[in-house]
Amino acid sequence: MTASQLPQGIFLTFEGIDGAGKSSHIERTAQAFRDSGRCVTLTREPGGTPLAEKLRALLLHDAMDPLTEALVAFAARRDHLVQVIEPALARGDVVISDRFTDATFAYQGAGRGFDWDKLCQLEQLVQAVPALEGLGAQHPEAAIRQPDLTIWFDLPAAVAAERLTTARVPDKFEAQPGAFFAAVAGGYARRAEAAPQRFARIDANTSREAVWQQVADVLQAKGWLQPGVLA
């Protein structure tokens, strides 16, 4: 198959505070794309490559200041983009990632209080798409790799905290108090407000099937999947 015959790649991300209930819906979405005949690259952040997974372990468990956290997150992201995301999109895969840059703005920016503008600078540096770098002056957004769609699981922080009490041994973020998660949720809302065309808000404070129906409706509205594979 020639490059012109390859299907167009799709970059889809799932976001939300810890406890929002993304995991089962990510796998269900991936299976729906597979059932429709698409090749799927299922990945996560931080992580997705051997190097990024090592950085993930540091980020989730080692104490560090907010700037160091942001730098580690973006270092992992750069390797993830170069090694996994960009090659998969180039060959026409559907790339589904559990978190991407919005999480860094939400957790390190809003949660930790790190400077939002500095995160924007790191985003511009790390997510520059090599094939588009020459367009940066005229089309700055075109030179930055962003998801085609971000499915945001919006859940009240108090509900998320309640769900996490029965979860596995928490990492350093999952162990944060409710006020931290309320701030993180506000960070996601800020990102969604800045890019409404990219975000699809999901009311995650309802039953699993009701949440899935919202996700299915979004994917169908995009024209990416038909009802038959979304049941």
Side-chain angles (χ1 to χ4, degrees):
M1 185 179 290
T2 66
S4 62
Q5 294 173 316
L6 290 172
Q8 184 174 0
I10 297 171
F11 186 20
L12 175 62
T13 58
F14 282 72
E15 295 281 0
I17 62 177
D18 292 282
K22 298 179 281 86
S23 299
S24 61
H25 300 289
I26 290 172
E27 180 52 47
R28 196 167 177 179
T29 299
Q31 190 57 51
F33 275 106
R34 293 185 194 108
D35 291 344
S36 73
R38 295 297 298 262
C39 292
V40 175
T41 293
L42 191 57
T43 189
R44 69 176 182 176
E45 286 210 353
T49 71
L51 173 59
E53 290 292 334
K54 293 176 183 176
L55 294 174
R56 175 189 178 89
L58 295 175
L59 188 64
L60 295 187
H61 301 291
D62 288 23
M64 56 187 78
D65 76 319
L67 172 57
T68 305
E69 282 187 1
L71 291 172
V72 171
F74 274 108
R77 180 162 301 124
R78 181 63 185 182
D79 194 58
H80 192 205
L81 279 163
V82 171
Q83 302 295 336
V84 175
I85 295 174
E86 292 302 318
L89 292 174
R91 63 178 179 260
D93 284 13
V94 177
V95 177
I96 301 176
S97 183
D98 183 350
R99 303 193 192 280
F100 191 60
T101 307
D102 298 306
T104 306
F105 279 85
Y107 279 79
Q108 279 69 50
R112 295 295 200 205
F114 186 66
D115 188 277
W116 202 269
D117 290 336
K118 287 185 172 62
L119 290 177
C120 288
Q121 292 172 12
L122 287 169
E123 181 181 35
Q124 293 277 330
L125 176 66
V126 167
Q127 292 166 227
V129 181
L132 298 177
E133 282 177 345
L135 301 177
Q138 295 80 23
H139 307 285
E141 62 281 347
I144 299 300
R145 173 61 70 198
Q146 294 287 15
D148 296 301
L149 175 67
T150 295
I151 297 181
W152 168 37
F153 281 52
D154 189 16
L155 184 73
V159 177
E162 190 175 315
R163 290 181 181 179
L164 287 173
T165 59
T166 59
R168 62 193 180 279
V169 176
D171 60 43
K172 75 178 188 185
F173 293 105
E174 293 169 336
Q176 292 297 311
F180 175 82
F181 286 110
V184 170
Y188 276 123
R190 180 175 174 181
R191 287 285 280 183
E193 183 179 1
Q197 74 289 347
R198 175 167 66 83
F199 271 79
R201 178 189 172 275
I202 302 297
D203 177 7
N205 192 19
T206 186
S207 69
R208 180 175 296 185
E209 280 305 311
V211 170
W212 171 247
Q213 188 58 57
Q214 293 176 71
V215 174
D217 288 346
V218 169
L219 297 173
Q220 185 179 346
K222 280 284 189 180
W224 293 339
L225 292 171
Q226 298 305 310
V229 298
L230 289 166

